[in-house]
Amino acid sequence: MGYLEDEVKRLHTVLGNVEGRLKALEERQFGKSSGKTAEEIRMILIGPPGAGKGTQAPKIKEKFSCCHLATGDMLRSQVAKKTPLGREAKKIMDQGGLVSDDIVIGMIKEELDHNPECKGGFILDGFPRTVPQAVGLDSMLQARKQTLQHAVELQIDDALLVARITGRLVHPASGRSYHATFNPPQKPMTDDVTGEPLVQRSDDNAEALKKRLATYHQQTAPVVDYYRNTGIWKAIDASQEPNQVWKSLLAIFDGDKAKAQSSGAGILSRIAHPSRS
């Protein structure tokens, strides 16, 4: 009986250590802070106007119960709430200036600290647009003992965007987007959720789009290279149907789980068989 008692004690000790070791593994694999789960998401969504960010981001938000931080919406929210950063940003904008990177990153940090939706992680949309912004974002997250998991680029040929953009409809209050042909609302020109009117942005026309695309490519190419070098960049063909784009996103997220499970199996094996390590 002595051997069995010793073996039972050993297994209890092993099991007692498993949770702590797996948590440490998660933190190393995903950059988790204490208390977070593997279902948390931290990602940026990159893509030109009309690529489908407004269609895919709400699906990601629902899947992970996370927050969707679109730069423009976040800025307007901070100004409306008259937060210290919002008041500072309003003063700059009223003078015709551009809000600094530090202020925008500060607003993102403010959302991560105080927005309950961000407990499940976040999707950044429209930021970063430059390499210095990407470096600043990484520094802020590192101070929180976090890292980005994914920088997903929705790639699509410029020529295909004209038809998408010219038919785009937007719900101003929420940022929800529809398309007159590809993703129409249930009732014409009406938001499915609130019943409020949809609008077409004044710059959603072919001529304005070409200028916006030229600026986008000029700004974004270095940012894509930055994230490609860090190893978290992935590209998805955004010319596909929205449901297929969503399946491609799910494949990326499922890849995270597979890596975690594989690494977890390895550590469990080493715990159970310490002589093999």
Side-chain angles (χ1 to χ4, degrees), residues 34-271:
S34 177
K36 300 300 183 182
T37 70
E39 281 298 299
E40 185 185 356
I41 190 76
R42 294 181 304 279
M43 68 179 292
I44 64 170
L45 207 50
I46 305 169
K53 300 190 299 296
T55 299
Q56 301 302 329
K59 294 183 179 181
I60 303 171
K61 178 178 178 178
E62 181 178 1
K63 176 176 174 59
F64 290 96
S65 298
C66 64
C67 57
H68 174 205
L69 302 179
T71 311
D73 294 340
M74 184 174 57
L75 186 60
R76 286 188 289 272
S77 172
Q78 292 280 327
V79 170
K81 289 188 288 189
K82 298 182 178 179
T83 65
L85 287 171
R87 288 195 296 268
E88 189 175 351
K90 186 177 187 302
K91 182 179 178 181
I92 293 170
M93 290 188 295
D94 287 348
Q95 294 173 351
L98 295 175
V99 177
S100 71
D101 294 349
D102 287 343
I103 290 178
V104 176
I105 292 172
M107 288 182 176
I108 294 171
K109 183 179 184 300
E110 183 80 8
E111 292 289 334
L112 298 184
D113 286 342
H114 301 294
N115 185 343
E117 288 188 341
C118 295
K119 288 182 179 179
F122 61 85
I123 316 154
L124 272 178
D125 176 357
F127 189 93
R129 297 192 181 196
T130 67
V131 171
Q133 289 175 353
V135 172
L137 175 64
D138 280 350
S139 296
M140 183 271 286
L141 291 174
Q142 286 168 7
R144 295 169 55 87
K145 298 182 180 178
Q146 294 179 320
T147 58
L148 279 173
Q149 296 169 324
H150 303 292
V152 177
E153 182 184 9
L154 301 181
Q155 296 181 332
I156 184 170
D157 189 271
D158 288 0
L160 295 177
L161 289 173
V162 175
R164 285 190 175 187
I165 286 290
T166 53
R168 185 165 65 173
L169 306 171
V170 178
H171 178 240
S174 68
R176 276 186 293 275
S177 62
Y178 303 83
H179 193 280
T181 303
F182 306 122
N183 181 35
Q186 296 173 5
K187 182 179 178 182
M189 296 301 295
T190 304
D191 179 47
D192 290 347
V193 178
T194 65
E196 295 172 345
L198 301 176
V199 301
Q200 185 169 31
R201 286 173 34 167
S202 59
D203 57 348
D204 278 353
N205 59 74
E207 183 177 350
L209 175 61
K210 291 178 181 178
K211 295 179 181 178
R212 289 162 64 194
L213 287 173
T215 301
Y216 168 81
H217 292 305
Q218 184 178 9
Q219 286 183 336
T220 306
V223 176
V224 167
D225 288 340
Y226 174 84
Y227 286 118
R228 187 185 280 115
N229 290 334
T230 67
I232 67 169
W233 171 85
K234 293 179 179 68
I236 290 178
D237 179 5
S239 67
Q240 306 174 96
E241 290 294 322
N243 285 342
Q244 189 58 47
V245 174
W246 176 238
K247 288 179 181 178
S248 298
L249 279 166
L250 289 178
I252 291 174
F253 303 144
D254 288 343
D256 273 354
K257 288 185 178 180
K259 285 191 291 185
Q261 290 168 356
S262 175
S263 299
I267 195 170
L268 283 172
S269 175
R270 291 195 297 275
I271 293 171

